[in-house]
Amino acid sequence: MSEVTAEGGHGAVPTGPEVPVEPRSRAVRRDWPLYEVFVRGKRGLNHVHVGSLHAPDDEMAIDAARDLYTRRNEGVSIWVVRAADITASSPDEKDPLFAPSGDKVYRHPTFYEIPDGVPHL
Amino acid sequence: MSAPTLDRQPAGSPGEAALQEHFDATIAADRRIEPRDWMPEGYRKTLVRQVAQHAHSEIIGMQPEGDWLLAAPSLRRKAVLLAKVQDEAGHGLYLYSAAETLGADRADLTDKLIEGRQKYSSIFNYPTLSYADVGVIGWLVDGAAICNQVPLCRSSYGPYARAMIRVCKEESFHQRQGYELLMTMMGGTDEQRAMVQDAVDRWWWPSLMMFGPPDDESPNTAQSMAWGIKRHTNDELRQRFVDMTVPQARHLGVTLPDPDLAWDEAAGHWRFGAIDWDEFKRVIGGQGPMNAVRIARRRAARDDNAWVVEAASAYARKHEEVPA
């Protein structure tokens, strides 16, 4: 038997090469589009990304997000957005993209030395 | 985020060496790998196998307890069981989402499950014969799952780790409701106590098998640990579970069906008897008591409900064409 590891979470599962991983090219059955879900935990907080789900349209995506991500009062507001509509920075450009802020330590308050005893600063 | 654009440099190219170096440094610093990062193919494939089959376990795991929804002894027990089974569905969906960030496709994974090309935890191939089984599954099966899942909250793959944090928060309710159910039955009649003991007798050994074969049969453990996708060996996790469970059994007043169970004072651990790994191999290979039933029901759920999926898609298309 091939490797069987407890890291299958809810009981051990085989992780050897006999378990296929690549999706077949599919022409027939297509899944619903993928949505990313953002939840506001309570008033005064930002919406935070919590995960994703498949849904046929925006309205059902909200309903599914309610069932999937707020079963225990985790939120007071939900945003859903189609994953395909998100523009993200490229991981390849990570260093050049963030370089402009990398060498500007003077943007942080700790850059400035203030003598002890000066109040409210 | 999904839809990975994994940067596939030709193997052995100078570009790949630099990417591998960056990956290794991230792992060495115990930082997380995120979906669009470059990762070695072996890492990605092993993770898909872990996460997708974990998702399958959650989805198939709805069936053994789902069988008792209509026979719950009270409205309270029924509401609790419904909430628990609904949680399992949620856990499955979190995990399919995580698998999709690695380039998998949910519908395709479901097909692979139904065709038997991917597996799920062997524990769900045993039948639930009485309501005491619902309690014992919460206590032992979900207890064993928690032992496996808590370290997975530190998996080096970000989306899996985040899904596991959510799952672990919810799983603790599952275990406690099971134990409370059993406490209630143990305080009942002799017949009820006998039902609990019978369920414990049937589920104890399969629960120990949930951690997988012993370490000397797991040649790839070192690689998975180096990658940060396995944090403890199968045997370590199993020992932790036994040590936690023995005092709980004593408190409950049941006997664990192992004559070799004994406290090892020097090691500070409970020692237990030999596990029947032939049974484990039979069950995970498809010869367990309920394998065929579980898969047949999953296949029926996919095929009999296909019209709902299609109808919702048709409705969405119609409203995209004619905005309200």
Side-chain angles (χ1 to χ4, degrees), chain B:
Chain B
M1 285 291 296
S2 198
T5 50
L6 294 179
D7 193 352
R8 285 173 210 270
Q9 296 276 339
S13 70
E16 192 191 58
L19 291 166
Q20 176 80 49
E21 204 172 303
H22 186 258
F23 173 88
D24 292 343
T26 304
I27 296 283
D30 202 23
R31 289 198 299 265
R32 299 293 174 256
I33 304 298
E34 293 295 342
R36 302 203 309 160
D37 291 342
W38 180 90
M39 59 190 85
E41 271 298 281
Y43 176 87
R44 188 181 70 84
K45 287 181 175 169
T46 305
L47 267 170
V48 171
R49 292 179 185 117
Q50 279 186 10
V51 180
Q53 296 180 112
H54 188 173
H56 298 334
S57 299
E58 301 282 357
I59 296 298
I60 295 292
M62 289 193 283
Q63 293 187 31
E65 291 173 288
D67 284 342
W68 284 96
L69 280 172
L70 296 180
S74 69
L75 195 55
R76 177 181 183 272
R77 296 290 172 196
K78 187 174 189 167
V80 167
L81 190 55
L82 261 176
K84 180 173 188 290
V85 172
Q86 192 189 17
D87 274 353
E88 310 294 0
H91 297 175
L93 292 176
Y94 307 153
L95 292 162
Y96 282 128
S97 292
E100 289 197 306
T101 66
L102 292 159
D105 174 286
R106 185 181 66 174
D108 176 76
L109 294 175
T110 297
D111 291 347
K112 285 182 165 67
L113 165 67
I114 289 171
E115 291 158 12
R117 300 166 72 220
Q118 291 184 345
K119 307 293 183 192
Y120 53 90
S121 172
S122 60
I123 195 76
F124 299 117
N125 290 317
Y126 292 88
T128 39
L129 302 181
S130 84
Y131 208 76
D133 289 38
V134 172
V136 169
I137 287 176
W139 173 41
L140 294 181
V141 174
D142 293 328
I146 290 170
C147 281
N148 282 349
Q149 290 171 343
V150 167
L152 286 171
C153 296
R154 294 188 298 116
S155 170
S156 66
Y157 189 57
Y160 194 27
R162 290 192 286 275
M164 290 321 302
I165 289 169
R166 190 172 279 276
V167 167
C168 284
K169 279 183 189 163
E170 299 178 354
E171 203 77 52
S172 136
F173 138 64
H174 297 184
Q175 195 187 20
R176 289 173 65 107
Q177 67 81 31
Y179 197 79
E180 187 233 44
L181 191 164
L182 297 176
M183 291 287 289
T184 306
M185 288 187 78
M186 291 303 283
T189 63
D190 284 346
E191 196 185 355
Q192 286 174 312
R193 277 186 286 277
M195 281 168 72
V196 173
Q197 184 61 54
D198 172 63
V200 170
D201 289 346
R202 284 181 289 109
W203 288 95
W204 172 248
W205 291 107
S207 297
L208 294 191
M209 295 175 197
M210 285 176 67
F211 300 93
D215 295 344
D216 53 14
E217 290 179 35
S218 306
N220 298 319
T221 290
Q223 175 64 80
S224 287
M225 286 188 144
W227 276 335
I229 56 178
K230 186 172 182 63
R231 296 293 189 178
H232 305 280
T233 71
N234 294 355
D235 284 334
E236 285 168 5
L237 291 164
R238 186 168 15 249
Q239 183 65 59
R240 182 178 298 180
F241 173 70
V242 172
D243 290 343
M244 278 168 34
T245 307
V246 171
Q248 294 169 351
R250 190 164 289 176
H251 197 88
L252 193 58
V254 295
T255 306
L256 297 172
D258 179 358
D260 296 328
L261 197 64
W263 176 246
D264 180 343
E265 183 70 45
H269 289 300
W270 285 94
R271 296 301 174 203
F272 48 93
I275 295 171
D276 180 0
W277 291 110
D278 289 339
E279 175 180 329
F280 177 76
K281 286 166 193 171
R282 268 198 314 277
V283 174
I284 210 162
Q287 305 304 308
M290 299 298 282
N291 295 58
V293 172
R294 301 292 183 236
I295 290 298
R297 192 179 288 173
R298 183 66 191 87
R299 182 191 297 274
R302 180 192 65 181
D303 296 347
D304 298 350
N305 298 321
W307 69 272
V308 179
V309 177
E310 286 159 20
S313 300
Y315 180 85
R317 273 198 305 278
K318 189 172 151 192
H319 283 254
E320 263 177 19
E321 286 158 14
V322 189

Side-chain angles (χ1 to χ4, degrees), chain A residues 6-114:
Chain A
E7 275 62 25
H10 216 301
V13 293
T15 51
E18 80 287 359
V19 179
V21 299
E22 302 306 338
R24 279 161 297 198
S25 59
R26 55 185 40 255
V28 193
R29 202 159 58 86
R30 286 198 55 82
D31 209 337
W32 291 330
L34 188 70
Y35 283 83
E36 300 297 336
V37 181
F38 301 78
V39 170
R40 185 199 294 285
K42 58 180 183 182
R43 291 180 177 279
L45 298 181
N46 290 319
H47 285 78
V48 174
H49 182 240
V50 293
S52 51
L53 53 80
H54 290 274
D57 59 28
D58 298 356
E59 195 184 337
M60 286 193 69
I62 290 279
D63 289 346
R66 192 267 323 263
D67 289 346
L68 189 53
Y69 291 107
T70 62
R71 288 195 301 281
R72 289 177 175 77
N73 300 316
E74 290 95 335
V76 296
S77 166
I78 299 173
W79 290 347
V80 293
V81 57
R82 283 204 189 185
D85 290 340
I86 292 179
T87 306
S89 60
S90 159
D92 301 339
E93 296 167 5
K94 187 176 55 185
D95 293 341
L97 185 69
F98 295 108
S101 76
D103 59 354
K104 294 181 179 59
V105 288
Y106 48 84
R107 286 179 172 169
H108 297 276
T110 47
F111 179 74
Y112 303 95
E113 274 200 30
I114 305 292

